[in-house]
Amino acid sequence: VRAAVFSQDGAWVLTASGDATAKLWSAASGECLRTMEGHTASVSSAVFSTDSTLVLTASDDSTAKLWETESGERLFTLEGHLGPMRSA
């Protein structure tokens, strides 16, 4: 795990991992609620939007991805950087 953050209300924990995924966890039970897959290299950072409805991930694959928190659906990919993205 490269990074972990709580949602604003403390209900969820979001982790960024070297296995190219981000995971959403229940802070109450520790259960993994969903895995966000789509990066091709380590996920360096992951953050919630201020209302926790969206997740932004940054990866060593030089992309950032925006996800819908509840469904885990990838909304779009931000491309254009030439090197790894270290922070979301």
Side-chain angles (χ1 to χ4, degrees):
V1 174
R2 296 180 138 203
V5 294
F6 280 95
S7 60
Q8 294 287 357
D9 64 3
W12 295 321
V13 175
L14 179 63
T15 57
S17 179
D19 68 0
T21 68
K23 292 184 182 286
L24 182 70
W25 307 84
S26 165
S29 69
E31 176 186 2
C32 181
L33 303 174
R34 79 194 26 79
T35 301
M36 297 169 198
E37 299 176 301
H39 285 289
T40 58
S42 296
V43 177
S44 306
S45 177
V47 295
F48 288 103
S49 61
T50 56
D51 62 1
S52 298
T53 61
L54 300 172
V55 165
L56 181 67
T57 55
S59 173
D60 289 352
D61 67 7
S62 304
T63 69
K65 296 184 184 294
L66 189 68
W67 313 80
E68 200 280 322
T69 305
E70 287 285 342
S71 69
E73 177 186 358
R74 185 175 53 232
L75 301 176
F76 55 83
T77 300
L78 303 169
E79 299 179 273
H81 290 279
L82 299 179
M85 294 188 70
R86 303 286 186 207
S87 182

Coordinates of all heavy atoms in Angstrom, one line a residue:
V1 N 0.9 -1.2 0.0 CA 0.0 0.0 0.0 C 0.9 1.2 0.0 O 1.8 1.4 0.9 CB -1.0 0.0 1.2 CG1 -1.7 1.3 1.3 CG2 -1.9 -1.2 1.1
R2 N 0.6 2.1 -1.0 CA 1.4 3.3 -1.1 C 0.8 4.5 -0.4 O 1.5 5.5 -0.1 CB 1.7 3.6 -2.6 CG 2.5 2.6 -3.2 CD 2.7 2.9 -4.7 NE 4.1 2.5 -5.0 CZ 4.8 3.1 -5.9 NH1 4.3 4.0 -6.7 NH2 6.0 2.7 -6.1
A3 N -0.5 4.5 -0.3 CA -1.2 5.6 0.4 C -2.6 5.1 0.9 O -3.1 4.2 0.3 CB -1.4 6.8 -0.6
A4 N -3.1 5.8 1.9 CA -4.4 5.5 2.4 C -5.0 6.8 3.0 O -4.4 7.6 3.6 CB -4.3 4.4 3.5
V5 N -6.3 7.0 2.6 CA -7.0 8.2 3.1 C -8.5 7.8 3.5 O -9.0 6.8 3.0 CB -7.1 9.3 2.0 CG1 -5.8 9.8 1.7 CG2 -7.8 8.8 0.8
F6 N -9.0 8.5 4.5 CA -10.4 8.4 4.9 C -11.3 9.3 4.1 O -10.9 10.4 3.7 CB -10.5 8.8 6.4 CG -10.1 7.7 7.4 CD1 -8.9 7.7 7.9 CD2 -11.0 6.7 7.8 CE1 -8.5 6.8 8.8 CE2 -10.7 5.8 8.7 CZ -9.4 5.8 9.2
S7 N -12.5 8.9 3.9 CA -13.5 9.8 3.3 C -13.8 10.9 4.3 O -13.5 10.7 5.5 CB -14.8 9.0 2.9 OG -15.3 8.4 4.1
Q8 N -14.5 11.9 3.9 CA -14.8 13.1 4.7 C -15.6 12.6 6.0 O -15.4 13.2 7.0 CB -15.5 14.2 4.0 CG -14.7 14.8 2.9 CD -13.6 15.7 3.4 OE1 -13.5 16.0 4.6 NE2 -12.9 16.3 2.5
D9 N -16.5 11.7 5.8 CA -17.4 11.3 6.9 C -16.8 10.2 7.7 O -17.4 9.7 8.7 CB -18.8 10.9 6.4 CG -18.8 9.7 5.4 OD1 -17.7 9.1 5.2 OD2 -19.9 9.4 4.9
G10 N -15.6 9.7 7.3 CA -15.0 8.6 8.0 C -15.6 7.2 7.8 O -15.1 6.2 8.4
A11 N -16.5 7.1 6.8 CA -17.1 5.8 6.6 C -16.3 4.8 5.7 O -16.4 3.6 5.9 CB -18.5 6.0 5.9
W12 N -15.4 5.4 4.9 CA -14.6 4.6 4.0 C -13.1 4.9 4.1 O -12.7 6.0 4.5 CB -15.0 4.9 2.5 CG -16.4 4.6 2.1 CD1 -17.1 3.4 2.4 CD2 -17.2 5.3 1.2 NE1 -18.3 3.5 1.8 CE2 -18.4 4.6 1.1 CE3 -17.0 6.5 0.5 CZ2 -19.4 5.0 0.2 CZ3 -18.1 6.9 -0.3 CH2 -19.3 6.2 -0.4
V13 N -12.3 3.9 3.7 CA -10.9 4.1 3.6 C -10.5 3.8 2.1 O -11.0 2.8 1.6 CB -10.1 3.2 4.6 CG1 -8.6 3.3 4.3 CG2 -10.4 3.6 6.0
L14 N -9.7 4.6 1.5 CA -9.3 4.4 0.1 C -7.8 4.1 0.1 O -7.1 4.9 0.7 CB -9.6 5.6 -0.7 CG -9.2 5.7 -2.1 CD1 -10.0 4.6 -2.9 CD2 -9.5 7.0 -2.7
T15 N -7.4 3.0 -0.5 CA -6.0 2.7 -0.5 C -5.5 2.7 -2.0 O -6.2 2.3 -2.9 CB -5.6 1.3 0.1 OG1 -6.4 0.3 -0.5 CG2 -5.9 1.4 1.6
A16 N -4.2 3.1 -2.2 CA -3.5 3.0 -3.4 C -2.4 2.0 -3.3 O -1.7 2.0 -2.3 CB -2.9 4.4 -3.8
S17 N -2.2 1.1 -4.3 CA -1.3 0.0 -4.1 C -0.4 -0.2 -5.3 O -0.6 0.2 -6.4 CB -2.2 -1.3 -4.0 OG -1.4 -2.4 -3.8
G18 N 0.7 -0.9 -5.0 CA 1.7 -1.3 -6.0 C 1.2 -2.3 -7.0 O 1.9 -2.6 -8.0
D19 N 0.0 -2.9 -6.7 CA -0.5 -3.9 -7.6 C -1.4 -3.3 -8.7 O -2.1 -4.0 -9.4 CB -1.3 -5.0 -6.9 CG -2.6 -4.5 -6.2 OD1 -2.9 -3.3 -6.4 OD2 -3.2 -5.3 -5.6
A20 N -1.3 -2.0 -8.9 CA -2.0 -1.2 -10.0 C -3.5 -1.1 -9.7 O -4.2 -0.8 -10.6 CB -1.7 -1.8 -11.3
T21 N -3.9 -1.2 -8.4 CA -5.3 -1.0 -8.1 C -5.4 0.0 -6.9 O -4.5 0.3 -6.2 CB -5.9 -2.3 -7.6 OG1 -5.4 -2.7 -6.3 CG2 -5.8 -3.4 -8.6
A22 N -6.7 0.5 -6.8 CA -7.1 1.2 -5.6 C -8.2 0.4 -5.1 O -9.0 -0.2 -5.8 CB -7.5 2.7 -6.0
K23 N -8.4 0.4 -3.7 CA -9.4 -0.3 -3.1 C -10.2 0.6 -2.1 O -9.6 1.4 -1.5 CB -8.9 -1.5 -2.3 CG -8.3 -2.6 -3.3 CD -7.9 -3.8 -2.5 CE -7.2 -4.9 -3.4 NZ -8.2 -5.6 -4.2
L24 N -11.5 0.4 -2.1 CA -12.4 1.1 -1.2 C -12.8 0.1 -0.1 O -13.3 -1.0 -0.4 CB -13.6 1.6 -2.0 CG -14.6 2.4 -1.1 CD1 -14.0 3.7 -0.8 CD2 -15.9 2.5 -1.9
W25 N -12.6 0.5 1.2 CA -12.8 -0.3 2.3 C -13.9 0.3 3.2 O -13.9 1.5 3.3 CB -11.6 -0.5 3.1 CG -10.4 -1.0 2.3 CD1 -9.5 -0.2 1.6 CD2 -9.9 -2.3 2.2 NE1 -8.6 -1.0 1.0 CE2 -8.8 -2.3 1.4 CE3 -10.4 -3.5 2.7 CZ2 -8.1 -3.4 1.0 CZ3 -9.6 -4.7 2.4 CH2 -8.5 -4.6 1.5
S26 N -14.6 -0.5 3.9 CA -15.5 0.0 5.0 C -14.6 0.2 6.2 O -13.9 -0.6 6.7 CB -16.5 -1.1 5.4 OG -17.1 -0.8 6.6
A27 N -14.7 1.5 6.7 CA -13.9 1.8 7.9 C -14.5 1.1 9.2 O -13.7 0.9 10.1 CB -13.8 3.3 8.2
A28 N -15.7 0.7 9.1 CA -16.4 0.1 10.3 C -16.0 -1.4 10.4 O -15.8 -1.9 11.5 CB -17.9 0.3 10.2
S29 N -16.0 -2.1 9.2 CA -15.9 -3.5 9.2 C -14.5 -4.0 8.7 O -14.2 -5.1 8.9 CB -17.0 -4.2 8.4 OG -16.8 -3.9 7.0
G30 N -13.8 -3.2 7.9 CA -12.6 -3.6 7.3 C -12.8 -4.4 6.0 O -11.9 -4.8 5.3
E31 N -14.1 -4.5 5.6 CA -14.4 -5.2 4.4 C -14.0 -4.4 3.1 O -14.3 -3.2 3.1 CB -15.9 -5.5 4.3 CG -16.4 -6.2 3.1 CD -17.9 -6.3 3.0 OE1 -18.6 -5.8 3.9 OE2 -18.4 -6.8 2.0
C32 N -13.5 -5.1 2.1 CA -13.2 -4.5 0.8 C -14.5 -4.4 0.1 O -15.1 -5.4 -0.2 CB -12.1 -5.3 0.1 SG -11.7 -4.5 -1.5
L33 N -14.9 -3.2 -0.2 CA -16.2 -3.0 -0.9 C -16.0 -3.0 -2.4 O -16.9 -3.4 -3.1 CB -16.7 -1.6 -0.5 CG -17.0 -1.4 1.0 CD1 -17.4 0.0 1.3 CD2 -18.0 -2.5 1.5
R34 N -14.9 -2.5 -2.9 CA -14.7 -2.6 -4.4 C -13.2 -2.4 -4.7 O -12.5 -1.7 -3.9 CB -15.6 -1.7 -5.2 CG -15.3 -0.2 -5.3 CD -16.5 0.6 -5.8 NE -17.8 0.0 -5.6 CZ -18.5 0.0 -4.5 NH1 -17.9 0.6 -3.4 NH2 -19.6 -0.5 -4.4
T35 N -12.8 -2.9 -5.8 CA -11.4 -2.7 -6.4 C -11.5 -2.0 -7.7 O -12.3 -2.3 -8.5 CB -10.7 -4.1 -6.6 OG1 -10.7 -4.8 -5.3 CG2 -9.3 -3.9 -7.1
M36 N -10.7 -0.9 -7.8 CA -10.7 -0.1 -9.0 C -9.5 -0.5 -9.8 O -8.4 -0.3 -9.4 CB -10.7 1.4 -8.6 CG -12.0 1.8 -7.8 SD -11.8 3.4 -7.1 CE -13.1 3.3 -5.9
E37 N -9.8 -1.1 -10.9 CA -8.7 -1.7 -11.8 C -8.7 -0.9 -13.1 O -9.8 -0.5 -13.6 CB -9.0 -3.1 -12.1 CG -8.9 -4.0 -10.8 CD -9.2 -5.4 -11.1 OE1 -10.3 -5.7 -11.6 OE2 -8.4 -6.3 -10.8
G38 N -7.5 -0.7 -13.7 CA -7.4 -0.1 -15.0 C -6.1 0.5 -15.2 O -5.7 0.8 -16.4
H39 N -5.3 0.8 -14.1 CA -4.0 1.3 -14.3 C -3.1 0.2 -14.7 O -3.4 -1.0 -14.5 CB -3.5 1.9 -13.0 CG -4.0 3.3 -12.7 ND1 -3.7 4.4 -13.5 CD2 -4.9 3.7 -11.8 CE1 -4.4 5.4 -13.0 NE2 -5.1 5.0 -12.0
T40 N -2.0 0.5 -15.4 CA -1.0 -0.6 -15.8 C 0.3 -0.6 -15.0 O 1.2 -1.3 -15.3 CB -0.7 -0.4 -17.3 OG1 -0.2 0.9 -17.5 CG2 -2.0 -0.5 -18.2
A41 N 0.3 0.3 -14.0 CA 1.5 0.3 -13.1 C 1.0 0.7 -11.7 O -0.2 1.0 -11.5 CB 2.5 1.3 -13.6
S42 N 1.9 0.8 -10.8 CA 1.5 1.1 -9.4 C 0.7 2.4 -9.3 O 0.9 3.3 -10.0 CB 2.8 1.3 -8.5 OG 3.5 0.1 -8.5
V43 N -0.3 2.3 -8.4 CA -1.1 3.5 -8.1 C -0.4 4.2 -6.9 O -0.2 3.6 -5.8 CB -2.6 3.2 -7.7 CG1 -3.3 4.4 -7.3 CG2 -3.2 2.4 -8.9
S44 N 0.1 5.4 -7.2 CA 0.9 6.2 -6.2 C 0.0 6.9 -5.1 O 0.5 7.1 -4.0 CB 1.7 7.2 -6.9 OG 2.5 6.6 -7.9
S45 N -1.1 7.3 -5.6 CA -2.0 8.2 -4.7 C -3.4 8.0 -5.1 O -3.7 7.7 -6.3 CB -1.5 9.6 -4.9 OG -2.3 10.5 -4.2
A46 N -4.3 8.2 -4.1 CA -5.7 8.2 -4.4 C -6.4 9.2 -3.4 O -6.0 9.2 -2.2 CB -6.3 6.8 -4.3
V47 N -7.4 9.9 -3.9 CA -8.1 10.9 -3.0 C -9.6 10.9 -3.3 O -10.0 10.5 -4.4 CB -7.5 12.3 -3.2 CG1 -6.1 12.4 -2.7 CG2 -7.7 12.8 -4.6
F48 N -10.4 11.3 -2.3 CA -11.8 11.5 -2.5 C -12.0 12.9 -2.9 O -11.3 13.8 -2.5 CB -12.5 11.2 -1.2 CG -12.6 9.8 -0.8 CD1 -11.8 9.3 0.2 CD2 -13.6 8.9 -1.4 CE1 -11.9 8.0 0.7 CE2 -13.7 7.6 -0.9 CZ -12.9 7.2 0.1
S49 N -13.1 13.1 -3.7 CA -13.6 14.5 -3.9 C -14.2 15.0 -2.5 O -14.4 14.2 -1.6 CB -14.7 14.5 -5.0 OG -15.8 13.7 -4.6
T50 N -14.4 16.3 -2.4 CA -14.9 16.8 -1.1 C -16.2 16.2 -0.6 O -16.4 16.1 0.6 CB -15.0 18.3 -1.2 OG1 -15.9 18.7 -2.2 CG2 -13.7 19.0 -1.4
D51 N -17.0 15.7 -1.5 CA -18.3 15.1 -1.1 C -18.2 13.6 -1.2 O -19.2 12.9 -1.0 CB -19.5 15.6 -2.0 CG -19.3 15.3 -3.4 OD1 -18.3 14.6 -3.8 OD2 -20.2 15.6 -4.2
S52 N -17.0 13.0 -1.4 CA -16.7 11.6 -1.5 C -17.5 10.8 -2.6 O -17.5 9.6 -2.5 CB -16.9 10.9 -0.1 OG -16.1 11.5 0.8
T53 N -18.1 11.5 -3.5 CA -18.8 10.8 -4.6 C -17.8 10.4 -5.7 O -18.2 9.5 -6.5 CB -19.9 11.7 -5.2 OG1 -19.3 12.9 -5.8 CG2 -20.9 12.1 -4.2
L54 N -16.6 11.0 -5.8 CA -15.6 10.6 -6.8 C -14.3 10.3 -6.2 O -14.0 10.7 -5.1 CB -15.4 11.8 -7.8 CG -16.7 12.3 -8.5 CD1 -16.3 13.6 -9.3 CD2 -17.2 11.2 -9.5
V55 N -13.5 9.5 -6.9 CA -12.2 9.1 -6.5 C -11.2 9.5 -7.6 O -11.6 9.2 -8.8 CB -12.1 7.6 -6.2 CG1 -10.6 7.1 -6.1 CG2 -12.8 7.3 -4.9
L56 N -10.1 10.1 -7.3 CA -9.1 10.3 -8.3 C -7.8 9.5 -8.0 O -7.4 9.6 -6.8 CB -8.7 11.8 -8.4 CG -7.7 12.2 -9.4 CD1 -8.2 12.1 -10.8 CD2 -7.2 13.7 -9.1
T57 N -7.3 8.8 -8.9 CA -6.1 8.0 -8.7 C -5.0 8.5 -9.6 O -5.2 8.9 -10.7 CB -6.3 6.5 -9.0 OG1 -6.9 6.3 -10.3 CG2 -7.3 5.9 -7.9
A58 N -3.8 8.4 -9.1 CA -2.6 8.8 -9.9 C -1.7 7.6 -9.9 O -1.5 6.9 -8.9 CB -1.9 10.0 -9.3
S59 N -1.0 7.4 -11.1 CA -0.3 6.1 -11.2 C 1.1 6.4 -11.9 O 1.3 7.3 -12.6 CB -1.1 5.2 -12.1 OG -0.3 4.0 -12.5
D60 N 2.0 5.4 -11.7 CA 3.3 5.4 -12.3 C 3.1 5.1 -13.8 O 4.1 5.2 -14.6 CB 4.2 4.3 -11.7 CG 4.6 4.7 -10.3 OD1 4.4 5.8 -9.9 OD2 5.3 3.8 -9.7
D61 N 1.9 4.8 -14.3 CA 1.7 4.6 -15.8 C 1.5 6.0 -16.5 O 1.1 6.0 -17.6 CB 0.5 3.7 -16.0 CG -0.8 4.2 -15.6 OD1 -1.0 5.3 -15.2 OD2 -1.8 3.4 -15.7
S62 N 1.7 7.1 -15.8 CA 1.6 8.4 -16.3 C 0.2 8.9 -16.5 O 0.0 9.8 -17.3 CB 2.4 8.6 -17.6 OG 3.8 8.2 -17.4
T63 N -0.8 8.3 -15.9 CA -2.2 8.7 -16.0 C -2.8 8.9 -14.6 O -2.3 8.4 -13.6 CB -3.0 7.6 -16.7 OG1 -3.2 6.5 -15.9 CG2 -2.5 7.3 -18.1
A64 N -3.9 9.7 -14.7 CA -4.8 9.8 -13.5 C -6.1 9.3 -14.0 O -6.5 9.5 -15.2 CB -4.8 11.2 -13.0
K65 N -6.9 8.7 -13.1 CA -8.2 8.2 -13.5 C -9.2 8.7 -12.5 O -9.0 8.8 -11.3 CB -8.2 6.7 -13.6 CG -7.3 6.2 -14.7 CD -7.4 4.6 -14.8 CE -6.4 4.1 -15.8 NZ -6.6 4.5 -17.2
L66 N -10.4 9.1 -13.0 CA -11.5 9.5 -12.2 C -12.6 8.4 -12.1 O -12.9 7.9 -13.2 CB -12.1 10.8 -12.7 CG -13.1 11.5 -11.8 CD1 -12.4 12.1 -10.6 CD2 -13.9 12.6 -12.6
W67 N -13.0 8.1 -10.9 CA -13.9 7.0 -10.7 C -15.1 7.5 -9.9 O -15.0 8.4 -9.1 CB -13.2 5.9 -9.8 CG -11.9 5.5 -10.3 CD1 -10.7 6.2 -10.0 CD2 -11.5 4.3 -11.0 NE1 -9.6 5.5 -10.6 CE2 -10.1 4.4 -11.2 CE3 -12.2 3.3 -11.5 CZ2 -9.4 3.4 -11.8 CZ3 -11.5 2.3 -12.2 CH2 -10.1 2.3 -12.4
E68 N -16.3 6.8 -10.1 CA -17.5 7.0 -9.3 C -17.3 6.1 -8.1 O -17.1 4.9 -8.2 CB -18.7 6.7 -10.1 CG -20.0 7.3 -9.6 CD -20.6 6.5 -8.4 OE1 -20.5 5.3 -8.4 OE2 -21.1 7.2 -7.5
T69 N -17.4 6.7 -6.9 CA -17.1 5.9 -5.7 C -18.1 4.8 -5.5 O -17.6 3.6 -5.2 CB -17.1 6.9 -4.5 OG1 -16.2 8.0 -4.7 CG2 -16.7 6.1 -3.2
E70 N -19.4 5.0 -5.5 CA -20.3 4.0 -5.2 C -20.3 2.8 -6.1 O -20.3 1.6 -5.7 CB -21.8 4.6 -5.2 CG -22.1 5.4 -4.0 CD -22.3 4.7 -2.7 OE1 -22.6 3.5 -2.8 OE2 -22.2 5.3 -1.7
S71 N -20.1 3.0 -7.4 CA -20.2 1.9 -8.4 C -18.8 1.4 -8.8 O -18.6 0.3 -9.2 CB -20.9 2.4 -9.7 OG -20.1 3.3 -10.4
G72 N -17.8 2.2 -8.6 CA -16.4 1.9 -9.0 C -16.2 2.1 -10.5 O -15.2 1.7 -11.0
E73 N -17.2 2.7 -11.2 CA -17.1 2.9 -12.6 C -16.0 3.9 -12.9 O -16.0 5.0 -12.3 CB -18.4 3.4 -13.2 CG -18.4 3.7 -14.6 CD -19.7 4.3 -15.1 OE1 -20.6 4.5 -14.4 OE2 -19.7 4.7 -16.3
R74 N -15.1 3.6 -13.9 CA -14.1 4.6 -14.3 C -14.8 5.6 -15.3 O -15.4 5.2 -16.3 CB -13.0 3.9 -15.0 CG -11.8 4.8 -15.4 CD -10.6 4.1 -16.0 NE -11.0 3.2 -17.1 CZ -10.7 2.0 -17.2 NH1 -10.0 1.4 -16.3 NH2 -11.0 1.3 -18.3
L75 N -14.8 6.8 -14.9 CA -15.4 7.9 -15.7 C -14.5 8.3 -16.9 O -15.0 8.5 -18.0 CB -15.8 9.0 -14.8 CG -16.8 8.7 -13.7 CD1 -17.0 9.9 -12.8 CD2 -18.1 8.1 -14.2
F76 N -13.3 8.6 -16.6 CA -12.3 8.9 -17.7 C -10.9 8.9 -17.2 O -10.6 8.8 -16.0 CB -12.6 10.3 -18.3 CG -12.7 11.5 -17.4 CD1 -11.6 12.1 -17.0 CD2 -14.0 11.9 -17.0 CE1 -11.7 13.2 -16.1 CE2 -14.1 13.0 -16.2 CZ -12.9 13.7 -15.7
T77 N -10.0 8.9 -18.1 CA -8.5 8.9 -17.9 C -7.9 10.2 -18.3 O -8.2 10.7 -19.4 CB -7.9 7.7 -18.6 OG1 -8.5 6.5 -18.2 CG2 -6.4 7.6 -18.4
L78 N -7.1 10.7 -17.5 CA -6.3 12.0 -17.8 C -5.0 11.5 -18.3 O -4.2 10.9 -17.5 CB -6.2 12.9 -16.6 CG -7.5 13.3 -15.9 CD1 -7.3 13.9 -14.6 CD2 -8.3 14.2 -16.8
E79 N -4.6 11.8 -19.5 CA -3.3 11.5 -20.1 C -2.6 12.7 -20.6 O -3.2 13.7 -20.8 CB -3.6 10.5 -21.3 CG -4.3 9.2 -20.9 CD -4.5 8.4 -22.1 OE1 -5.6 8.6 -22.8 OE2 -3.7 7.5 -22.4
G80 N -1.3 12.5 -20.7 CA -0.5 13.6 -21.3 C 0.8 13.9 -20.6 O 1.7 14.5 -21.1
H81 N 1.0 13.4 -19.3 CA 2.2 13.5 -18.7 C 3.3 12.5 -19.2 O 2.9 11.4 -19.7 CB 2.1 13.3 -17.2 CG 1.3 14.4 -16.5 ND1 1.9 15.6 -16.1 CD2 0.0 14.5 -16.1 CE1 1.1 16.4 -15.6 NE2 -0.1 15.8 -15.6
L82 N 4.5 12.9 -19.2 CA 5.5 12.0 -19.7 C 6.1 11.1 -18.7 O 6.8 10.1 -19.1 CB 6.6 12.8 -20.4 CG 6.2 13.7 -21.5 CD1 7.3 14.6 -22.1 CD2 5.5 12.9 -22.6
G83 N 5.9 11.4 -17.4 CA 6.5 10.5 -16.4 C 5.5 10.1 -15.4 O 4.3 10.4 -15.5
P84 N 5.9 9.4 -14.4 CA 5.0 8.9 -13.4 C 4.2 10.0 -12.7 O 4.8 11.1 -12.5 CB 5.9 8.1 -12.4 CG 7.1 7.9 -13.1 CD 7.3 8.9 -14.1
M85 N 3.0 9.8 -12.4 CA 2.2 10.7 -11.6 C 2.3 10.2 -10.1 O 1.9 9.1 -9.8 CB 0.8 10.8 -12.1 CG 0.7 11.3 -13.5 SD -1.0 11.7 -14.0 CE -1.5 13.0 -13.0
R86 N 2.8 11.1 -9.2 CA 3.0 10.7 -7.9 C 1.9 11.1 -6.9 O 1.8 10.6 -5.8 CB 4.3 11.3 -7.4 CG 5.5 10.9 -8.2 CD 5.9 9.4 -7.9 NE 7.1 9.1 -8.6 CZ 7.5 7.9 -9.0 NH1 6.7 6.9 -8.8 NH2 8.6 7.7 -9.7
S87 N 1.1 12.1 -7.3 CA 0.1 12.6 -6.3 C -1.2 13.0 -7.1 O -1.2 13.5 -8.2 CB 0.7 13.9 -5.7 OG -0.2 14.4 -4.7
A88 N -2.3 12.6 -6.4 CA -3.6 13.0 -6.9 C -4.2 14.1 -6.2 O -3.8 14.4 -5.1 CB -4.5 11.8 -6.8

